[in-house]
Structure formats: structure tokens, C-alpha cells
Amino acid sequence: MKTYLKKLSIAVFLAAYFALTYFAAQAISPTGTVTNTFIDSWIPFIDFFVIFYLLFFPFIALPFVLFWSNFSRYKALSAGFFLIITASALVYTFFQTSAARHTFTPTTIFELAIASIYSADKPLNALPSLHVSLTLFATFFIYRYRKKAGLVLTPLAILIMMSTLLIKQHAVLDMMAGIILSVSVYVV
């Protein structure tokens, strides 16, 4: 029972820490440097990729479920997430970034979902992409201890990471920084 409460408190802490640091950085630094480059203009806007973008939250929760019964792995996973969120929050606070978004009038259910995301989430905290860094870290972690599950989940992880570019929530530089951050934390 004690371990159960510790795991639950870690999960609640991480979720609250994620939200608090994310929105605090936006309040502290309300404008940012645009990270889009000429490469981003070559990437199409594909509205149905919002499905994969929204799968981010269940995807990053999955390793916590998979490693619930192994407290040492659960703690290691939590530490990795904590480091990624902390490093990202520091960048967002001291070097706020923004990604130029796609301008459109919603006509499909997917575009309505994207418009809702754009409305709820300011175009800040772009670099590094937490969608990319946390998804990639979760995939690495799952693959390390459960290779079959990691292999099965890798295509979905790639789609989640691609979605950040294809719904124009992030730019290529944001994705690259997310990859570098994730790999750096995983190697540590």
C-alpha cells in the first residue's frame, strides 16, 4: 500500500509539475522568438494528424502503467520525465520560442480540433517540443525493458512526433531540440 501511494503521488506530482511549469513559463515570458525556417514551408498541413497529436497524453501515461509493478523502473522513468520537463521549462522561461501556425477557417472535424488546440494553447513553449521529447523518451524506456512492446509502439511514437509538424504546432527546430533533449536525458 505504501509503494502504491508513492507511485500515485509521483504521477500526480509529475502531471501538476508539467502543467505548472508549462503555463508559468508562458506567463513569465509571453512572447518568443519564432523557430520556423524555410524547411517548415515545405511541410504540408495535414489536419487528420491531430488524432496522433492528441494521443500524446495516453502515450506518455502508458509506460507508467507498464512499469507500475516495478518501482525502481517507475522511479527511473519519472526521473527522466522530470529532467525533460525541467530543462524545457528553463528554456521556455529564459529563451521563449514560438512556432508560426497555419491560418485556416475550420471546415472539418479535424480542423475544428486543431482550432481548439490553437485556442487553448498559446503559440509559445515551442523549442524543445515536449510532445517529441517525452514521446521519444517513453519509447526508448519501453523498448529497453519490453522490446516487443517498444517495437509495436514505435510507429505510433513516430506519428505523434510527426503530428507536431503536420498540424503546425511546432517547427523542425523544435522537433530537433526535442530529440536532442530526449536522447541526452536517456543516455544520462
Side-chain angles (χ1 to χ4, degrees):
M1 182 66 165
K2 226 177 179 181
T3 305
Y4 173 84
L5 290 175
K6 284 181 184 178
K7 289 178 196 173
L8 188 59
S9 65
I10 289 170
V12 169
F13 168 78
L14 278 175
Y17 183 65
F18 179 103
L20 178 69
T21 58
Y22 189 84
F23 293 110
Q26 289 183 345
I28 293 166
S29 301
T31 60
T33 302
V34 176
T35 57
N36 294 68
T37 67
F38 68 95
I39 296 169
D40 295 291
S41 64
W42 300 341
I43 299 170
F45 175 77
I46 304 176
D47 64 354
F48 70 84
F49 265 81
V50 71
I51 295 167
F52 302 110
Y53 188 83
L54 293 171
L55 285 173
F56 165 73
F57 291 104
F59 190 92
I60 65 167
L62 181 62
F64 290 94
V65 173
L66 291 174
F67 298 107
W68 183 263
S69 62
N70 187 321
F71 194 41
S72 64
R73 288 184 185 161
Y74 190 91
K75 287 190 298 186
L77 172 69
S78 301
F81 270 48
F82 179 80
L83 288 173
I84 288 169
I85 293 165
T86 301
S88 297
L90 289 171
V91 172
Y92 302 154
T93 301
F94 297 107
F95 181 69
Q96 183 60 276
T97 54
S98 179
R101 291 182 168 166
H102 184 67
T103 305
F104 64 97
T105 302
T107 58
T108 68
I109 187 108
F110 304 121
E111 288 176 344
L112 286 169
I114 294 167
S116 294
I117 292 167
Y118 284 10
S119 173
D121 187 15
K122 295 176 186 173
L124 297 169
N125 297 354
L127 185 149
S129 167
L130 281 168
H131 262 71
V132 171
S133 57
L134 292 174
T135 297
L136 188 58
F137 185 82
T139 306
F140 285 156
F141 201 89
I142 292 168
Y143 180 79
R144 180 176 182 180
Y145 297 108
R146 295 193 176 183
K147 288 201 182 350
K148 287 182 185 176
L151 288 172
V152 168
L153 291 169
T154 295
L156 178 56
I158 291 168
L159 290 169
I160 291 169
M161 292 185 288
M162 286 175 50
S163 75
T164 66
L165 301 177
L166 295 171
I167 70 163
K168 303 298 180 178
Q169 185 72 355
H170 284 285
V172 170
L173 289 177
D174 309 335
M175 176 185 258
M176 301 293 287
I179 291 169
I180 291 166
L181 175 59
S182 185
V183 169
S184 299
V185 169
Y186 183 74
V187 169
V188 171

